[in-house]
Amino acid sequence: MKKVSVIVPCFNEEETIDLFYKTITSFWKESLSDHELELVLVDDGSKDSTYEKMISLAKADPSVRYGSFSRNFGKEAAMFAGLDLCTGDCAVVIDADLQHPVETIKKMVSKWDEGFEVIEGIKASRGKEARSHGLFAGLFYKIISSLVGFDMQNSSDFKLIDRKVIDVLRSFTEKDTFFRALTFWTGFKSTSVEYEVKDRAAGVSKWSGFSLVKYALRNIIAFTYTPLYLIAFLGIVVIIIGVILGIDAIVTYFMGEAVGGYPSLVILITLSTGAILSSLGIISVYMSKMFNEVKNRPRYIFRDHN
Ligand code: UDP
Ligand code: MG
């Protein structure tokens, strides 16, 4: 019997974890009993009783594996920790709050049985919660889709990946990953299934507006060099403006007209200083990312796992 690992990143999910467990196990018995289930719960440094709840679930059910971080390392790290722990022939990554309907896993598994290696969960509609930052999320996905070169608009972290893909992703040494796009990037045989985003079963979203902005910037930088090319482009634009103004200055000089000088000087100085500083800023951001990769610290630290 083929084994499916279900990876669940959990951060302060004490209100949902037991419900999630009940939902997935009863769904499995009813609909997917021809596949073995391995549940991999990753506690992303929760401050509530999520970890204790995981331990009691694992005690009662040998198919439950858990890992608990020493502190909050973020959902990306939690998903990759799940990939490190899991032993299945494929893995499904799913949220703990039941926003991703477990029934969709059946569709994913049957696509996998057909031979697909990456099955993306695509949002058919957005839940109530998503609408509050809908505008920003929409803009972010437009930008990232064009930069990354895939349509990321309705994609999510909810997906099934084959063991081959798991092993490839685990072999990456980079720390700043973007799971959602990396599965496209690997180029394995992929397809997608649609699902309706549900409302959170309990608790609140862990995303604030600011953390979404940080997430967006981080992923743009992790996935594309476009900002660096934009700097080069900006440099060329500034040079062209300089040449035009220079010619203008020479022409007015030979025409014997007095050069007004001051306003154009101010404009030039502020414009080029701004261009230089913002370019330095963008380069620094990439450099700090490189520094981070060079330090090669672990992406997460387990305080405990079974
Ligand atoms: N999550 C996590 N670490 C974090 C934030 C979130 O592991 O730092 C988990 C969270 O427990 C949930 C999933 O990631 O299982 C999605 O988080 P959430 O529901 O808060 O985000 P949203 O659905 O609003 O995108
Ligand atoms: Mg959620």
Side-chain angles (χ1 to χ4, degrees):
M1 194 157 61
K2 288 202 277 188
K3 179 153 67 169
V4 179
S5 299
V6 173
I7 296 171
V8 197
C10 304
F11 179 52
N12 295 342
E13 296 287 3
E14 62 178 5
E15 285 172 276
T16 59
I17 190 161
D18 289 334
L19 182 63
F20 179 86
Y21 175 78
K22 274 193 207 111
T23 312
I24 188 103
T25 46
S26 67
F27 160 75
W28 214 271
K29 249 186 236 131
E30 262 169 44
S31 312
L32 267 172
S33 48
D34 53 339
H35 289 76
E36 188 186 340
L37 168 68
E38 176 189 57
L39 202 55
V40 182
L41 305 171
V42 182
D43 164 33
D44 185 9
S46 300
K47 301 230 160 33
D48 62 4
S49 63
T50 303
Y51 171 56
E52 287 73 19
K53 292 203 162 163
M54 276 180 190
I55 290 185
S56 47
L57 286 175
K59 265 194 192 131
D61 180 348
S63 71
V64 174
R65 305 210 48 199
Y66 69 87
S68 178
F69 287 174
S70 57
R71 64 168 169 86
N72 182 247
F73 280 91
K75 188 185 176 189
E76 269 306 295
M79 290 188 292
F80 274 87
L83 295 179
D84 289 342
L85 284 177
C86 78
T87 60
D89 301 302
C90 72
V92 175
V93 176
I94 187 169
D95 284 0
D97 55 10
L98 295 171
Q99 284 195 286
H100 300 157
V102 293
E103 302 79 49
T104 311
I105 298 177
K106 186 167 174 59
K107 287 195 234 164
M108 290 178 165
V109 169
S110 59
K111 293 272 185 199
W112 176 58
D113 286 335
E114 282 171 34
F116 288 100
E117 290 153 330
V118 176
I119 296 104
E120 305 278 345
I122 303 286
K123 290 175 243 176
S125 67
R126 315 213 56 188
K128 194 172 76 192
E129 177 186 284
R131 255 174 253 140
S132 60
H133 39 244
L135 188 73
F136 178 76
L139 187 69
F140 162 53
Y141 282 116
K142 281 229 167 61
I143 294 173
I144 193 116
S145 303
S146 65
L147 292 181
V148 172
F150 321 105
D151 183 15
M152 302 287 301
Q153 188 68 46
N154 290 315
S155 76
S156 65
D157 291 326
F158 183 26
K159 53 185 85 191
L160 182 152
I161 56 177
D162 185 76
R163 170 52 60 184
K164 270 187 247 166
V165 187
I166 299 173
D167 290 341
V168 166
L169 290 179
R170 289 188 58 211
S171 72
F172 289 6
T173 55
E174 67 185 276
K175 302 292 182 289
D176 254 321
T177 49
F178 185 27
F179 179 68
R180 203 171 290 189
L182 277 178
T183 52
F184 285 101
W185 183 89
T186 56
F188 284 96
K189 194 178 173 204
S190 70
T191 184
S192 58
V193 294
E194 281 209 343
Y195 69 92
E196 294 278 334
V197 183
K198 297 205 211 155
D199 286 340
R200 211 169 215 288
V204 289
S205 171
K206 311 301 179 295
W207 292 103
S208 62
F210 182 61
S211 65
L212 262 176
V213 174
K214 266 194 351 200
Y215 180 74
L217 291 179
R218 212 191 74 178
N219 292 324
I220 288 172
I221 284 162
F223 232 85
T224 169
Y225 312 115
T226 308
L228 292 175
Y229 294 127
L230 284 179
I231 293 178
F233 179 72
L234 187 72
I236 293 169
V237 170
V238 172
I239 289 171
I240 292 171
I241 294 173
V243 169
I244 292 169
L245 289 177
I247 292 171
D248 179 62
I250 292 168
V251 169
T252 39
Y253 175 78
F254 281 113
M255 281 166 67
E257 291 167 22
V259 181
Y262 187 67
S264 50
L265 206 63
V266 170
I267 291 169
L268 262 184
I269 290 174
T270 46
L271 202 74
S272 43
T273 314
I276 292 168
L277 284 180
S278 57
S279 308
L280 274 178
I282 293 173
I283 296 169
S284 316
V285 173
Y286 276 93
M287 255 183 57
S288 68
K289 295 289 165 194
M290 279 167 58
F291 182 44
N292 201 37
E293 300 289 346
V294 169
K295 278 191 289 187
N296 205 22
R297 287 190 188 152
R299 184 182 296 170
Y300 60 82
I301 299 167
F302 277 135
R303 62 172 165 159
D304 181 26
H305 68 86
N306 68 352

